[in-house]
Amino acid sequence: MASISYSPAAFIGTSASDLLRSSSNGVTGIPLKTLAKARFVVKRRDVTIAAKLRKVKKHEYPWPADPDPNVKGGVLTHLSHFKPLKEKQKPVTLEFERPLVELERKIVDVRKMANETGLDFSDQIISLENKYQQALKELYLHLTPIQRVNIARHPNRPTFLDHVFNITDKFVELHGDRSGYDDPAIVTGIGTIDGRRYMFIGQQKGRNTKENIQRNFGMPTPHGYRKALRMMYYADHHGFPIVTFIDTPGAYADLKSEELGQGEAIAHNLRTMFGLKVPIVSIVIGEGGSGGALAIGCANKLLMMENAVFYVASPEACAAILWKSAKASPKAAEKLRITAPELCKLQICDGIIPEPPGGAHAGPAWTSQQIKAAINENMDELMAMDTEELLKHRTHKFRKLGGFQEGVPIDPKKKVHMKKKEEQAVLRTSNAELEGEIEKVKQQILKAKESSTTPPELALKNVVEKLKKEVHLEYSEAIKSLGLKDRLEKLREEVSKVNSRDQLMNPVLMDKIEKLKHELNQSLSAAPNYTILKHKLDMLKELSTAKSQSKAVTMKQEINKKFNEIMGRPEISEKLEALEAEIQKSGSSSFVDLDQGLKDKILNLKKEVELEMINAIESLSLNVEAVTSNAKPTSLSIFKDKVDNLNEGINKKIQNVVNSSELKNTIELLKLEMAKAADIRSKSKIEALEQQIKQRLSDAISSSELKEKHEELKAEICEAIQSSGGANGSLQREPKHEMNFA
């Protein structure tokens, strides 16, 4: 402390206004002139000052105490807060990946056993690993849309900064929107790839709970979009190409963000991106949600990772709006068409970047290199354009989305997605027209038979397809009039659920189907359109028979043509003529009277012709089950009764097995799977069920009693054939070589 004293004589001659004035030295009412004349006496006292420091958390600066100048990406990389995680991320198994967990567990157990016992289990381990890789590949080749959504949201999926540090030679992060805030959900910075400088802008999610809270789960605020906008202007000014990485469920939609102008910030970005004079490539590495993704996605090229999704509303939100339940999200994901392959078909996405089996998190480094290659390839293409062409390219990309022209023929590929009910209603034809078309086709078939020409397969196929559609519509009307439509729709939904889960049909559901089927068959005659339906069914049956016969006639002609080609070959003709000359020279009238050498020549030629014919038949996509000769059956007629008895016994055994409840259920399951066979999984189910049925029937007819009868009969027939010289019949040659098929 210090005190100041002054003399009153110093104020003699000072006016009142001067006394009221203040000076800048803290003494009130005393002007500077007076203070200059005043005599000050300072008295000093001992003072002790004590202060207590409050303990606070030390601020963590990203710059280390001893920075490594040779670090990848340059020394400025130390400025980034994004550091390698101290703890390894915990593996997360998605719901549909659970079947693979059992295989992984088996591999671990076998390895553990090998280490404990010292035995060599390398073959078993390799076999299990191959099986695991095959199952993983098969699983990821047939992912449903909702499964791809789950992969895109995987907590261990590589983030924007993971990819950036993997693909860039140098990278420096830039911060702030220059309006007082730096949004951690959007990261921007300058980096180089193979010597070319880029401006990187991306939405950053966290790698754990702590980071996700810090990064706001990748949901940007208006500050983040304004930071991105500032960097876009910066890149445009300096001529840096822009690469954006999209990975967000959407823009942050809290009250504060709306007050700060979330919509305006996104709209400003959209408008600005269309006017930037540098190439822009956007890559969806996870999920791209609505306007929050589009705010940095108005690019010349939009690329997507194989398991990424890009949507206007999440499947859960869509399901809650349309079906009032988030449980319908698998159906919503399918209808929204949000996956990379679907968006490529719609020309929204310009390319798909592959991922390893198991998703990007299974091989982050490999995935990053695929992204790097895609960036280089697309940037090379865009950098070759001048500014005007680049701007037109970007505008045209978005202007052509969802466009249509009136009075232009519709592309057949697009026609598939149109409403089929309206199309069917337009294509309805009267009974008279159908009968006229059927009669016309019948006449054409008759003319083809008379002239031995090819039947009109195309016309027959078209009429059959048209008639099938008419029958389907008549059935739909009958079901509606009988009041069974709602029950049928419910059953269809239940069946589709079972199909989506890749499960076998529930016996309860099968009973429901059988009951509905039985009820429909019983009450079908009461439907108002029953007479028309029955008439169309009869016509369809008649045409289907004609179609199968027409196919058989065509196939017969093809086979006869092949046979004539074989018999007309010079080498076959020469051999046949030589054999005929030898037979005439020998003077024998039957095969039995010939000498053994000539018999062998005939049999060898016969085998040669048969092999050629088998190859020709197989080239027509037909299977040859057996080759039989035209030998006279009189010598084997004595075995007819025994063969009939054996066949009767086998048929009884098979009938008993088929009538068993267990095999009946299996057969019904097979029928249902064959009716819906649309993908590889359904085909594998069909094969498994067929194998079960074959095995049951094989076990039934392999009884000891039937086996003994079969072996005895086989021995007797072989003995009879050997005693007759191995062949029967004459050796006369027909003038025309034709094979007749019934």
Side-chain angles (χ1 to χ4, degrees), residues 306-334:
E306 187 180 345
N307 296 315
V309 289
F310 198 44
Y311 49 72
V312 69
S314 68
E316 292 82 5
C318 176
I321 294 166
L322 296 181
W323 292 283
K324 311 302 179 188
S325 171
K327 290 181 180 178
S329 56
K331 186 178 180 181
E334 186 179 350

Side-chain angles (χ1 to χ4, degrees), residues 239-259:
F240 299 154
I242 299 171
V243 181
T244 67
F245 287 73
I246 298 169
D247 187 15
T248 179
Y252 196 45
D254 68 330
L255 181 61
K256 189 70 176 173
S257 295
E258 295 301 330
E259 288 175 352

Side-chain angles (χ1 to χ4, degrees), residues 601-634:
K601 285 182 181 179
I602 292 167
L603 291 173
N604 288 336
L605 181 59
K606 181 185 173 186
K607 284 181 181 177
E608 186 179 345
V609 173
E610 282 178 354
L611 285 171
E612 290 287 343
M613 198 60 207
I614 287 169
N615 292 332
I617 291 170
E618 286 178 347
S619 69
L620 298 172
S621 301
L622 295 173
N623 293 325
V624 180
E625 293 184 356
V627 179
T628 57
S629 66
N630 292 325
K632 294 179 182 178
T634 52

Side-chain angles (χ1 to χ4, degrees), residues 101-275:
V101 176
E102 188 63 32
L103 278 172
E104 284 182 337
R105 192 179 291 116
K106 283 182 182 178
I107 293 168
V108 171
D109 290 344
V110 172
R111 280 180 175 158
K112 187 178 179 183
M113 190 185 298
N115 292 333
E116 289 175 354
T117 60
L119 298 174
D120 184 16
F121 289 101
S122 56
D123 292 342
Q124 289 86 340
I125 292 170
I126 291 168
S127 174
L128 285 170
E129 285 177 344
N130 290 338
K131 193 175 179 183
Y132 174 82
Q133 290 299 328
Q134 186 63 31
L136 180 67
K137 187 178 178 182
E138 187 69 24
L139 180 65
Y140 272 78
L141 274 175
H142 307 97
L143 291 170
T144 61
I146 195 65
Q147 288 171 348
R148 291 193 189 276
V149 172
N150 292 331
I151 295 169
R153 295 172 177 171
H154 198 286
N156 295 344
R157 193 169 176 85
T159 63
F160 161 57
L161 285 174
D162 285 315
H163 289 307
V164 164
F165 283 116
N166 279 337
I167 67 177
T168 55
D169 307 318
K170 292 182 179 180
F171 179 74
V172 179
E173 187 177 340
L174 303 176
H175 297 268
D177 63 347
R178 295 297 183 266
S179 297
Y181 192 76
D182 180 34
D183 186 1
I186 283 190
V187 176
T188 60
I190 300 173
T192 59
I193 299 176
D194 298 337
R196 185 184 285 170
R197 194 173 286 108
Y198 297 97
M199 173 62 74
F200 290 96
I201 301 169
Q203 287 146 341
Q204 176 68 20
K205 286 184 178 180
R207 295 168 293 178
N208 51 38
T209 306
K210 181 182 176 182
E211 282 192 11
N212 266 321
I213 292 168
Q214 181 193 350
R215 301 280 183 183
N216 199 26
F217 295 87
M219 294 185 288
T221 62
H223 299 289
Y225 292 119
R226 287 174 184 134
K227 175 168 74 170
L229 181 67
R230 183 174 78 85
M231 298 306 165
M232 289 176 197
Y233 280 131
Y234 184 89
D236 191 46
H237 177 74
H238 291 282
F240 299 154
I242 299 171
V243 181
T244 67
F245 287 73
I246 298 169
D247 187 15
T248 179
Y252 196 45
D254 68 330
L255 181 61
K256 189 70 176 173
S257 295
E258 295 301 330
E259 288 175 352
L260 292 170
Q262 184 73 283
E264 184 273 340
I266 292 172
H268 199 169
N269 279 27
L270 297 177
R271 185 185 68 181
T272 303
M273 289 188 80
F274 282 106

Side-chain angles (χ1 to χ4, degrees), residues 307-366:
N307 296 315
V309 289
F310 198 44
Y311 49 72
V312 69
S314 68
E316 292 82 5
C318 176
I321 294 166
L322 296 181
W323 292 283
K324 311 302 179 188
S325 171
K327 290 181 180 178
S329 56
K331 186 178 180 181
E334 186 179 350
K335 298 294 182 185
L336 283 168
R337 300 171 73 182
I338 57 179
T339 59
E342 290 286 351
L343 292 173
C344 269
K345 288 178 187 176
L346 296 171
Q347 297 182 351
I348 294 170
C349 171
D350 298 301
I352 300 173
I353 301 173
E355 295 183 26
H361 52 279
W366 185 87

Side-chain angles (χ1 to χ4, degrees), residues 7-170:
S7 173
F11 299 107
I12 297 170
T14 305
S15 65
S17 59
D18 289 337
L19 288 171
L20 291 171
R21 273 191 240 121
S22 298
S23 67
S24 60
N25 62 3
V27 182
T28 58
I30 304 172
L32 290 174
K33 290 179 181 179
T34 307
L35 284 174
K37 298 176 184 178
R39 181 170 53 85
F40 289 91
V41 180
V42 179
K43 296 180 181 179
R44 297 186 179 276
R45 296 180 185 176
D46 293 333
V47 178
T48 303
I49 299 172
K52 189 176 182 182
L53 295 174
R54 184 166 54 90
K55 288 184 179 180
V56 293
K57 185 179 179 182
K58 186 181 177 182
H59 185 72
E60 294 180 0
Y61 290 95
W63 193 266
D66 51 344
D68 180 10
N70 300 318
V71 69
K72 185 182 180 298
V75 71
L76 293 179
T77 309
H78 292 296
L79 286 173
S80 175
H81 288 271
F82 189 81
K83 305 293 183 187
L85 290 173
K86 294 177 182 178
E87 295 180 2
K88 191 178 178 181
Q89 288 177 300
K90 293 179 181 178
V92 177
T93 303
L94 300 174
E95 187 66 32
F96 67 90
E97 293 178 323
R98 291 193 184 279
L100 299 173
V101 176
E102 188 63 32
L103 278 172
E104 284 182 337
R105 192 179 291 116
K106 283 182 182 178
I107 293 168
V108 171
D109 290 344
V110 172
R111 280 180 175 158
K112 187 178 179 183
M113 190 185 298
N115 292 333
E116 289 175 354
T117 60
L119 298 174
D120 184 16
F121 289 101
S122 56
D123 292 342
Q124 289 86 340
I125 292 170
I126 291 168
S127 174
L128 285 170
E129 285 177 344
N130 290 338
K131 193 175 179 183
Y132 174 82
Q133 290 299 328
Q134 186 63 31
L136 180 67
K137 187 178 178 182
E138 187 69 24
L139 180 65
Y140 272 78
L141 274 175
H142 307 97
L143 291 170
T144 61
I146 195 65
Q147 288 171 348
R148 291 193 189 276
V149 172
N150 292 331
I151 295 169
R153 295 172 177 171
H154 198 286
N156 295 344
R157 193 169 176 85
T159 63
F160 161 57
L161 285 174
D162 285 315
H163 289 307
V164 164
F165 283 116
N166 279 337
I167 67 177
T168 55
D169 307 318
K170 292 182 179 180

Side-chain angles (χ1 to χ4, degrees), residues 635-636 638-639 714-726:
S635 60
L636 299 177
I638 55 173
F639 300 106
K714 185 178 176 183
E716 290 178 21
I717 292 171
C718 288
E719 189 178 347
I721 290 170
Q722 287 173 2
S723 64
S724 65

